[in-house]
Amino acid sequence: MCGIVAYIGYREACPIIIKGLRRLEYRGYDSAGVALLNGDLNVYKKKGKVAELETFIKEKDTHANVGMGHTRWATHGEPNDTNAHPHYSTSERIAIIHNGIIENYAALKQHLQHQGHVFQSDTDTEVFVNLIEEIQRQNHCTLEEAVRLALHEVVGAYAIVVLSRDEPNQLIAARKGSPMVIGIGKDEFFIASDATPIIEYTNEVVYVNDYEIAIIRDGKLDIRSKEDVHQTPYIQKLEMELDSIEKGGYEHFMLKEIFEQPRSILDSMRGRLELVAGHLNMGGIRAYERKFMNADRIIIVACGTSWHAGLVAEYLLEDLARIPVEVEYASEFRYRNPVITERDIVIAISQSGETADTLAAIELAKSKGATIFGICNVVGSSIARATDAGAYTHAGPEIGVASTKAFTAQVTVLTILAMIVGHKRGTLSDTRLQELMVELGSIPAKVEKALLLNDEIELIAETFKDVPNFLYLGRGYNFPVALEGALKLKEISYIHAEGYPAAEMKHGPIALIDENMPVVVIATKDSSYEKVVSNIQEVKARKGRIIAVVTEGDQVIPQMAEFVIEVPATSEVLVPLVSVIPLQLLSYHIAVLRGCNVDQPRNLAKSVTVE
Ligand code: G6P
C-alpha cells in the first residue's frame, strides 16, 4: 500500500503532488509528506491525512518545479511525523519515497550504522536512502548509478522515487513488486502509484515493469534495466474519465459507487452479453477454451471481497460447468505446498490487480505449470500483466476502501465465464443458456430497483446503529453474500459482524442469540428457501432481531421478521447481484450514523501490496 506521486516539469510541483496524494489516499492515510527540490531539498511531513499536511505547509516555501509526495500505510514503525515519508539520507542531500517493504533492512541498517549513518525513524525506507548515499560516497558515482547498485542489495518490494540536492532537475524512480505509472506530458512528467493523479494532465502513460529504473532528466525519460540496458518504453493511452474519480455530488465515494452499480454491471457485460445475436463472448478465454474444456479443476485465488466473489464463482462453475472448484485465500495457498498440475486452471480475482498475496499465489501456480486467468478491474495492473489470459471487469475506478461495485462486476464476469464454459462443455443446455442470458440482461434494472430501498434501509440503520454485534446468515448462493455483508459492516462501522451459512448457525453462533442480537437473513426464493425459513424460526425462538432480505411479494417471512427488505426476483444463480445491494447500503448508513470515515476506514487500505 502507500501512495506515491512525483512531478518534474515547468509547473508548481506542490499543488500537483497534494492533489495527487488526495487521489491516492485510498492506499493509506496515516501520514503524508512532500519533498520539494528548489536549490534546497525540503521535506515537510505530518502524521494524519493529506489535509493535515496541507495545513502544515501553508506557511512554508513550497515553490519548486520538481517534487514528490507520499501517503502512508504503516508497516515498519508507528504512524507519526518521523516515520512519515519522504525520508532524508543522513546528510539530508538525498530524499526518497517508497511503497513496499525492504525485508533485509535490519542487516543493512546495522552495516550502515557502522559506516556512520544516523537514523531518525523506525522505517525500512530510511535504510534504503542511506544505502544509496553510502554507495554514492564509496563509488563517487551519480545518483542514477547509486540507485541501480542499491537495487542489487535490497530484498523485498518497492516503488521508489529519489531526489538529490546535488543533481537538480532529475527524478529517479524504480519498481519491483509495487505499482508505478509514468505520465508523459509536454515538457513535464508525472509518476504515481496509479493513473488517478495523472489523468487530468495527460493520457499518455508508461507502466514501469519490475526491475526497471526510470530516469527523468533534461525533459527526457530514459528507462533502463537493473543491468543498465536501455528499454523502449511502451506508451499507452489511458481511457479513464476524470469524472469517474470524483465524488460527483455524493457525500462519499462508497455511496457513489453503490449507486453506480446498474451502470458498472452493464459495463462489465458490454460486448460479452449479446442478447440480440443470442450469444456470449469473452475474448480472454478464446485461446484457452480447450484448457477450460479439459480442466481437471479450477482453483480460485483472491483476498477480501474478491475472495467472496470467488466463492460465488465456485457455486456458478460447479452448477453450470460441472468443474470442481476450490476457492483459496491467496495468503494461505501460497504458503502451503498445494498440489497443482498443468491441467489446473487458476483464476485470480483482484479489483486493484496489485494485491501482493494474490500476485505471489499466481507466481506459485505458474511455476507448477497451471494456466492462470485473471479477473481484474485496474487495467495494466501487475496481476493483469502476470496472468496468461483474463477479463477486465470494467467497473471504473473504485475509490471507497470498502469494495462494492467491483464485487458485482466480478460476479457478473464470473457468471458469464461459467455460462460460456458450461455451454461449451455441454453441461448448460441451449435453452437454459438463453434463459439465463435474458435474466442477466435484466440485472442492471433490478439493481436499480433495489437501490430504491435506500431510504427504507437508512431507517433500519437508525434502529441498529449502536449495537455491538451482528450476525449474517445465508445459504447456497446467498452464503457468500452473508460473508460479504458482514465484511462490509465490520470494515466501515467497526461493529463486530460474522457471516455464517444459515444451517451451520446451530453449531455455534446460535449461542450468541438473544433479544439484543440483530440477525440479517438473506432469504430470497430459491431452492433452500424453506430451510432458511426454518433457520429464521430458530433465531426467532431465541428472541433474535431479524432483518430479512426477501424476494418481492414474499408472504411468509414478513410475519416473522422485525424488518423486511424486498428485492426483485431473479434466477437463483444471479441472486447475489441483487441481494448484496441492501447489505452494502445497510453498512453504509450504519457507518455514517456512527460518524465513521466511510471512505477511509481505520487501519485499512484499498490496495494491499504488503504480504
Ligand atoms: C483490501 C481491500 C478490500 C479488497 C481486498 C482485496 O483488503 O480493503 O476491499 O477486497 O484488499 O483486494 P483486491 O484489489 O485484490 O481485490
Side-chain angles (χ1 to χ4, degrees), residues 44-315:
Y44 306 120
K45 48 192 192 171
K46 210 68 207 136
K47 181 181 171 183
K49 303 254 162 72
V50 176
E52 281 165 63
L53 173 69
E54 259 187 291
T55 315
F56 177 64
I57 60 175
K58 265 207 180 102
E59 306 299 315
K60 313 274 184 211
D61 172 17
T62 57
H63 168 67
N65 302 118
V66 185
M68 60 188 184
H70 185 275
T71 179
R72 180 170 186 248
W73 187 89
T75 57
H76 293 76
E78 64 168 285
N80 59 27
D81 292 355
T82 316
N83 288 333
H85 297 217
H87 289 285
Y88 275 132
S89 62
T90 302
S91 71
E92 299 194 354
R93 306 195 74 78
I94 307 175
I96 194 170
I97 49 172
H98 170 213
N99 165 210
I101 283 193
I102 302 308
E103 288 163 13
N104 59 338
Y105 85 102
L108 289 171
K109 186 169 184 174
Q110 212 177 24
H111 171 73
L112 289 163
Q113 277 167 330
H114 281 308
Q115 312 285 331
H117 291 266
V118 181
F119 292 85
Q120 315 291 334
S121 76
D122 308 318
T123 64
D124 51 340
T125 304
E126 201 183 1
V127 173
F128 209 148
V129 68
N130 277 289
L131 178 65
I132 294 168
E133 177 166 281
E134 182 57 26
I135 291 173
Q136 209 177 9
R137 189 183 69 78
Q138 284 184 16
N139 297 280
H140 305 289
C141 57
T142 60
L143 183 71
E144 176 190 337
E145 185 63 16
V147 171
R148 183 173 15 263
L149 293 172
L151 298 185
H152 289 272
E153 292 193 34
V154 293
V155 177
Y158 52 79
I160 54 164
V161 182
V162 187
L163 290 179
S164 167
R165 180 193 301 214
D166 302 322
E167 297 179 48
N169 267 314
Q170 169 185 273
L171 281 180
I172 310 260
R175 115 163 223 184
K176 188 210 145 197
S178 301
M180 178 179 281
V181 52
I182 300 181
I184 303 174
K186 195 167 169 343
D187 302 323
E188 59 182 348
F189 293 88
F190 307 80
I191 300 179
S193 300
D194 71 26
T196 55
I198 296 176
I199 185 65
E200 64 193 274
Y201 308 103
T202 175
N203 64 357
E204 296 209 333
V205 294
V206 171
Y207 290 95
V208 181
N209 293 311
D210 276 350
Y211 303 110
E212 284 181 346
I213 304 174
I215 304 107
I216 305 175
R217 191 191 296 135
D218 302 328
K220 287 199 194 72
L221 166 68
D222 184 15
I223 297 193
R224 309 187 79 83
S225 70
K226 233 165 87 177
E227 286 67 42
D228 205 16
V229 179
H230 171 74
Q231 313 287 303
T232 310
Y234 171 45
I235 301 176
Q236 301 188 39
K237 282 246 183 289
L238 279 178
E239 283 179 11
M240 193 185 287
E241 303 283 337
L242 189 55
D243 286 359
S244 67
I245 54 170
E246 300 198 326
K247 279 192 199 146
Y250 284 91
E251 203 182 330
H252 297 101
F253 279 112
M254 184 181 175
L255 190 63
K256 175 181 177 235
E257 288 157 6
I258 291 174
F259 273 85
E260 272 172 0
Q261 286 176 109
R263 169 71 195 272
S264 53
I265 292 174
L266 195 64
D267 287 344
S268 68
M269 296 176 186
R270 208 178 292 286
R272 293 174 175 155
L273 174 68
E274 296 201 2
L275 276 176
V276 181
H279 63 246
L280 292 171
N281 286 316
M282 193 171 276
I285 56 168
R286 220 164 285 141
Y288 290 85
E289 240 166 58
R290 193 169 287 279
K291 282 265 180 196
F292 273 97
M293 298 279 289
N294 300 326
D296 282 346
R297 180 175 64 148
I298 292 178
I299 303 169
I300 297 179
V301 292
C303 304
T305 289
S306 298
W307 187 86
H308 294 156
L311 209 54
V312 177
E314 177 180 19
Y315 287 79

Side-chain angles (χ1 to χ4, degrees), residues 303-306 349-353 355 358 401-403 410 491 605-606 608:
C303 304
T305 289
S306 298
I349 309 173
S350 175
Q351 187 286 128
S352 63
T355 302
T358 309
V401 166
S403 186
Q410 288 164 344
E491 277 180 315
K606 182 123 193 96
V608 181

Side-chain angles (χ1 to χ4, degrees), residues 324-572:
V325 178
E326 286 166 28
V327 189
E328 302 266 4
Y329 290 111
S331 54
E332 287 298 313
F333 177 79
R334 58 176 294 207
Y335 288 117
R336 286 207 321 265
N337 188 9
V339 180
I340 311 166
T341 75
E342 289 170 8
R343 289 171 62 87
D344 288 331
I345 294 180
V346 171
I347 301 181
I349 309 173
S350 175
Q351 187 286 128
S352 63
E354 300 295 343
T355 302
D357 283 319
T358 309
L359 201 50
I362 291 172
E363 297 305 338
L364 173 69
K366 245 189 191 173
S367 71
K368 311 264 184 196
T371 301
I372 320 289
F373 191 84
I375 295 189
C376 297
N377 194 37
V378 177
V379 176
S381 54
S382 303
I383 292 176
R385 290 186 291 150
T387 46
D388 296 309
Y392 283 116
T393 45
H394 298 305
E398 189 181 65
I399 294 167
V401 166
S403 186
T404 52
K405 66 173 179 173
F407 173 78
T408 45
Q410 288 164 344
V411 172
T412 307
V413 171
L414 288 158
T415 306
I416 295 174
L417 176 76
M419 285 162 68
I420 294 176
V421 176
H423 190 237
K424 289 265 182 268
R425 285 169 63 97
T427 51
L428 183 66
S429 69
D430 284 346
T431 327
R432 180 94 177 100
L433 177 75
Q434 294 303 323
E435 276 168 19
L436 278 180
M437 282 173 58
V438 171
E439 193 50 37
L440 187 60
S442 74
I443 289 292
K446 291 186 176 174
V447 169
E448 189 92 61
K449 199 160 178 216
L451 289 167
L452 298 175
L453 297 162
N454 189 38
D455 294 348
E456 200 180 305
I457 292 172
E458 194 173 355
L459 292 177
I460 302 177
E462 272 292 349
T463 310
F464 293 103
K465 69 181 195 325
D466 296 318
V467 303
N469 295 295
F470 252 90
L471 190 60
Y472 285 71
L473 302 177
R475 287 177 95 123
Y477 282 92
N478 278 325
F479 163 52
V481 176
L483 294 180
E484 178 58 10
L487 177 64
K488 285 292 83 87
L489 188 71
K490 63 188 148 199
E491 277 180 315
I492 59 170
S493 73
Y494 319 138
I495 293 177
H496 171 246
E498 270 193 69
Y500 242 78
E504 191 64 19
M505 169 192 67
K506 289 193 278 297
H507 302 285
I510 200 164
L512 299 169
I513 294 173
D514 61 16
E515 66 281 7
N516 300 315
M517 182 66 147
V519 183
V520 177
V521 190
I522 308 130
T524 49
K525 283 263 171 63
D526 55 35
S527 53
S528 47
Y529 175 76
E530 307 296 338
K531 304 276 179 216
V532 179
V533 170
S534 306
N535 299 138
I536 292 177
Q537 296 285 19
E538 290 154 10
V539 174
K540 201 171 154 60
R542 286 151 187 93
K543 301 196 168 52
R545 304 185 68 180
I546 296 155
I547 305 150
V549 177
V550 303
T551 305
E552 265 171 5
D554 188 313
Q555 303 289 324
V556 178
I557 298 178
Q559 293 172 33
M560 306 174 196
E562 184 174 345
F563 293 97
V564 171
I565 301 168
E566 290 194 17
V567 293
T570 184
S571 158
E572 180 164 0

